[in-house]
Amino acid sequence: MNQSFSIPAGDFSHAGQAASEIKRLLKQLNIPPKVIKRVVVALYEAEVNVVAHSFGGSISCTITPEHIDIVVSDCGPGISDIELAMSEGYSTASSEVREMGFGAGMGLPNIKNNSDSLDISSSEQGTSIHMRVNFKEHTP
Amino acid sequence: MKLKEVVEVINGRIICGDAFLDREVHLGFASDLMSEVLTLLDEDILLITGLSNIQSIRTAEMSDITQILFVRGKQPTKNMIDLANEHEMVIMTTPYSMFRASYLLHESGLKPVY
């Protein structure tokens, strides 16, 4: 099953709509609530990142019986130092983003903590993150 | 404690979710930082926040939190209330500060998450 969403840049009112839709879908598929929470937290943070930091992007979700694969791609300007961006507390967010309750340098760490695999590639042309969450219940 | 007790303790007002005031809540978490709320594993939580925008409702939705208290008399917008109603959330406001509301609720039995 495939689902795609587009994310306009800078439009905070729409951030979370894709996560909301995926949450509804996973509930219908009887995925365990704890797993759904991992998926939607990671996806929501990724949506906020695209709205907050990029020139716009898109989300593509593929659901199989075992897992969900989510690819979030944007049109730039890219992350100059991914390792630094992954460290908790590091942020390049604008004051507008902070006013929305984000921008504390927790987005990418939250995505990492809630996905079973995470790949990030980035250039000036754009950033693409691929995350997978397995449906078998996670034991922390 | 029941949500109707929460409203009394903080001299609050119910914005939406009147039908769910018998719902019990045992934990409280006070933050304006939504990424921090998204790290919580518990769901039996009253979110106490001064951040009154659509993202606070979205964050509660993703975290399976069904009750939010806005402090310092913050008024949610119609969009926020619509989204909250869609997810059967109870939204309350209090004129008190986050510190005072948290103190009073803790005195009345609401436990911290950490």
Side-chain angles (χ1 to χ4, degrees), chain B residues 54-95:
Chain B
I54 195 82
Q55 301 313 325
S56 48
I57 313 286
R58 281 281 184 216
T59 298
E61 178 194 351
M62 303 311 160
S63 307
D64 296 316
I65 290 173
T66 50
Q67 42 278 323
I68 306 176
L69 172 62
F70 290 115
V71 297
R72 297 288 289 128
K74 301 276 167 61
Q75 290 300 315
T77 62
K78 185 177 180 304
N79 282 352
M80 291 166 65
I81 296 168
D82 288 348
L83 189 60
N85 277 327
E86 198 182 310
H87 297 285
E88 300 188 343
M89 289 178 194
V90 176
I91 306 286
M92 298 161 275
T93 65
T94 176

Side-chain angles (χ1 to χ4, degrees), chain B:
Chain B
M1 61 195 295
K2 285 191 193 299
L3 295 181
K4 60 185 175 195
E5 296 166 317
V6 169
V7 180
E8 277 174 31
V9 167
I10 43 90
N11 187 23
R13 201 161 63 80
I14 299 146
I15 304 291
C16 69
D18 300 63
F20 310 109
L21 295 182
D22 279 324
R23 199 183 274 159
E24 289 270 351
V25 67
H26 297 96
L27 300 168
F29 190 79
S31 181
D32 288 347
L33 191 50
M34 295 302 109
S35 285
E36 200 145 73
V37 179
L38 290 167
T39 64
L40 302 176
L41 299 176
D42 296 287
E43 284 141 25
D44 177 17
I45 293 173
L46 172 70
L47 173 61
I48 304 163
T49 185
L51 186 83
S52 177
N53 63 36
I54 195 82
Q55 301 313 325
S56 48
I57 313 286
R58 281 281 184 216
T59 298
E61 178 194 351
M62 303 311 160
S63 307
D64 296 316
I65 290 173
T66 50
Q67 42 278 323
I68 306 176
L69 172 62
F70 290 115
V71 297
R72 297 288 289 128
K74 301 276 167 61
Q75 290 300 315
T77 62
K78 185 177 180 304
N79 282 352
M80 291 166 65
I81 296 168
D82 288 348
L83 189 60
N85 277 327
E86 198 182 310
H87 297 285
E88 300 188 343
M89 289 178 194
V90 176
I91 306 286
M92 298 161 275
T93 65
T94 176
Y96 298 159
S97 67
M98 189 186 271
F99 184 80
R100 185 173 177 185
S102 301
Y103 163 75
L104 290 171
L105 289 167
H106 183 252
E107 284 283 290
S108 304
L110 207 63
K111 301 271 182 261
V113 177
Y114 296 109

Side-chain angles (χ1 to χ4, degrees), chain A residues 1 4 8 15 29 48 68 86 93-94 96-97 99 103 105 112 117 137:
Chain A
M1 190 188 305
S4 298
L29 295 170
V48 169
I68 180 166
M86 290 300 293
S94 64
E96 192 201 352
V97 174
E99 277 164 24
K112 188 161 186 267
S117 73
E137 270 213 73

